[in-house]
Amino acid sequence: MSEGSKGSSLAFGQVVIGPPGSGKTTYCHGMREFMGRIGRKVTVVNLDPANDAMPYQCAVDIAELITLPDVMENLKLGPNGGLIYCMEYLEANFDWLQEKLAAFRGHYYLFDCPGQVELYTHHDALKNVFAQLAKWNFRLAAVHLVDSHYCTDPGKFISVLCTSLSTMLHVELPHVNVLSKMDLIEQYGKLAFNLDYYTEVLDLSYLVDHLASDPFFRNYRRLNEKLVEVIEDYSLVSFVPLNVQDKESMRQVMQAVDKANGYSFGDQEHRSLEALMSAAVGADFHFTSTLAVQEKYVQSQDKAVEEEAMDL
């Protein structure tokens, strides 16, 4: 692809980022299937050199260029240093990535990225890769996945908010934060507040007060208050809940990302989406609504209050 042809057409996509175990590969697999059902041509690009067990058909794989095990063995690096080296190697070989992507012109791209948090908060290699893609007329949105179980621990949730904010400021892309694995949240324990408190990141002073009830965190109340002030002053972080097995949840995330990167679909895709959303339950989807999870929490909290009142 020549310099002049780079700007000939727009390409849209998502860079899927987040800590290890947050469900990035599962998300790419589910979103690829969901978009395929509404007629969108999707290409999945694996940029994780440590990802050797992909459930999806990978069109472009960084393993053809470099792999983490090879780097660790040959350069005697640990997994973190090895991942940073791999991303710097990718940055130094833009021509390889450009040639691979050119074969799928006209497709929608899902970039499955590594799970090392430092790559999105401190290091510049991946940020530079995203910037280069923008120069090639890619319109990308960052989908930052966070495991929903952090909501059950106020201390961890504040940490997640700080990480999400730092990632948004460093990556410099339109950003959609996602609470993943909503179908499993009940396994992690009770939420201190309703789900919308966490997704909309409402008044965090309540979270600080809740933390103060713990003897360990009571000594760090001032620090937590300052962290919360930083998050609220920027007023950037909010979350979209996601259950990859729920088509309504997938639709909400897809539309949030489409709004972020400016993708506009045609009438045919709109009709396909409407048909998919109105279809009966199929074998490939298991519908456990996020709203139903939230209602279950509210009901369980109400029941607990009633039981306490009866005891009194």
Side-chain angles (χ1 to χ4, degrees), residues 179-218:
L179 284 177
S180 62
K181 305 180 184 178
M182 286 303 302
D183 52 321
L184 302 177
I185 192 171
E186 291 176 303
Q187 299 179 12
Y188 302 128
K190 291 184 177 180
L191 299 179
F193 306 99
N194 287 342
L195 187 62
D196 58 353
Y197 178 86
Y198 300 93
T199 57
E200 299 302 324
V201 189
L202 303 175
D203 189 349
L204 295 177
S205 62
Y206 292 104
L207 208 60
V208 175
D209 292 338
H210 188 76
L211 273 174
S213 63
D214 187 317
F216 175 80
F217 287 106
R218 191 177 301 138

Side-chain angles (χ1 to χ4, degrees), residues 118-125 127 165-173:
E118 291 84 353
L119 291 172
Y120 313 116
T121 58
H122 297 85
H123 201 262
D124 286 338
K127 173 184 174 181
L165 178 59
S166 179
T167 300
M168 294 175 76
L169 297 176
H170 184 74
V171 171
E172 297 180 348
L173 283 176

Side-chain angles (χ1 to χ4, degrees), residues 66-236:
I66 191 171
T67 65
L68 181 60
D70 288 343
V71 170
M72 292 173 62
E73 180 180 352
N74 295 324
L75 299 181
K76 309 304 178 186
L77 293 173
N80 291 336
L83 272 174
I84 289 175
Y85 180 89
C86 289
M87 293 303 100
E88 291 176 343
Y89 192 81
L90 174 64
E91 182 186 1
N93 288 273
F94 279 140
D95 54 342
W96 174 85
L97 183 61
Q98 181 183 4
E99 181 182 349
K100 291 292 184 180
L101 295 177
F104 301 96
R105 191 173 301 169
H107 287 216
Y108 187 96
Y109 297 84
L110 296 174
F111 293 89
D112 190 354
C113 298
Q116 187 178 356
V117 175
E118 291 84 353
L119 291 172
Y120 313 116
T121 58
H122 297 85
H123 201 262
D124 286 338
L126 261 181
K127 173 184 174 181
N128 294 338
V129 171
F130 300 155
Q132 184 61 49
L133 289 170
K135 292 179 182 178
W136 295 339
N137 255 353
F138 278 76
R139 298 296 179 259
L140 301 173
V143 179
H144 183 225
L145 298 182
V146 174
D147 197 316
S148 61
H149 88 266
Y150 291 119
C151 296
T152 62
D153 186 319
K156 290 180 180 178
F157 187 66
I158 290 179
S159 176
V160 160
L161 292 174
C162 292
T163 302
S164 298
L165 178 59
S166 179
T167 300
M168 294 175 76
L169 297 176
H170 184 74
V171 171
E172 297 180 348
L173 283 176
H175 216 88
V176 178
N177 292 303
V178 174
L179 284 177
S180 62
K181 305 180 184 178
M182 286 303 302
D183 52 321
L184 302 177
I185 192 171
E186 291 176 303
Q187 299 179 12
Y188 302 128
K190 291 184 177 180
L191 299 179
F193 306 99
N194 287 342
L195 187 62
D196 58 353
Y197 178 86
Y198 300 93
T199 57
E200 299 302 324
V201 189
L202 303 175
D203 189 349
L204 295 177
S205 62
Y206 292 104
L207 208 60
V208 175
D209 292 338
H210 188 76
L211 273 174
S213 63
D214 187 317
F216 175 80
F217 287 106
R218 191 177 301 138
N219 298 326
Y220 302 96
R221 182 184 181 100
R222 183 68 174 161
L223 173 61
N224 288 324
E225 287 175 347
K226 288 302 180 182
L227 290 174
V228 162
E229 284 180 16
V230 171
I231 295 165
E232 292 185 330
D233 285 346
Y234 275 97
S235 191
L236 290 175

